[in-house]
Amino acid sequence: MKKQLLALAAMTLLSAGCAKQTATTGTDSTSTNSNQTADNKDRVKKVYDIFNAKDFAKLDSFIAPDFVDHDPSPGQLPGLDGVKKSFVEFQKGFPDFHFTTDQLVAEGDLVAVHYRMTATNSGPMMNMPPTNKKVDVSGMDLIRIKNGKAVERWGVQDNWLMMKQLGMMPGHDSTMAHKKK
């Protein structure tokens, strides 16, 4: 019994000593992962800031050339160039678009974003004339970061609500709904 207690005490002291050494020497990977996670969140936040500034050339520093968008916009080409062209086209229809990042949550190389997008459809959109109506929709993106750049995105936005707000869905009190009468 004494030997068992001594062995247990020795193991406790050994594990406590190792834990203390890890904490004081900085070899604990938790702090490194925490810093990387915070950096990833900051980088993703900057992408939304670039969208808001409509300075799409700056995306080169934040999105990899071979970026994969698993949920692209209609007609969006692959890669970084596809993202840029897609936002240039979107800006034509919604020149005042603005993203607000409500929540950013990160774990490992993934950053989840809950955003709100407001805009006015004052230009043509996908071969449709402007409605001059405002939209206010939310969406979520899951973005994977590698070597400081976004390499993949999965996303969803409430496009049904957006179309309803633009008066392009049946049942909404809009110009299109009135034309049916």
Side-chain angles (χ1 to χ4, degrees), residues 100-177:
T100 303
T101 52
D102 294 331
Q103 299 288 325
L104 285 110
V105 179
E107 184 173 332
D109 62 351
L110 296 172
V111 179
V113 183
H114 177 244
Y115 65 84
R116 178 177 169 209
M117 194 252 327
T118 56
T120 308
N121 178 219
S122 57
M125 175 185 73
M126 298 183 342
N127 297 320
M128 292 182 276
T131 64
N132 294 311
K133 295 186 181 216
K134 294 187 179 297
V135 295
D136 186 342
V137 295
S138 63
M140 297 189 77
D141 286 331
L142 181 63
I143 301 166
R144 188 167 71 83
I145 306 293
K146 183 177 179 184
N147 298 323
K149 292 190 176 189
V151 293
E152 285 184 282
R153 173 198 168 264
W154 297 263
V156 62
Q157 180 176 290
D158 195 344
N159 290 327
W160 184 85
L161 178 60
M162 183 170 136
M163 297 310 267
K164 185 175 178 183
Q165 290 172 353
L166 291 172
M168 297 179 179
M169 296 297 291
H172 187 267
D173 186 21
S174 69
T175 306
M176 290 183 85

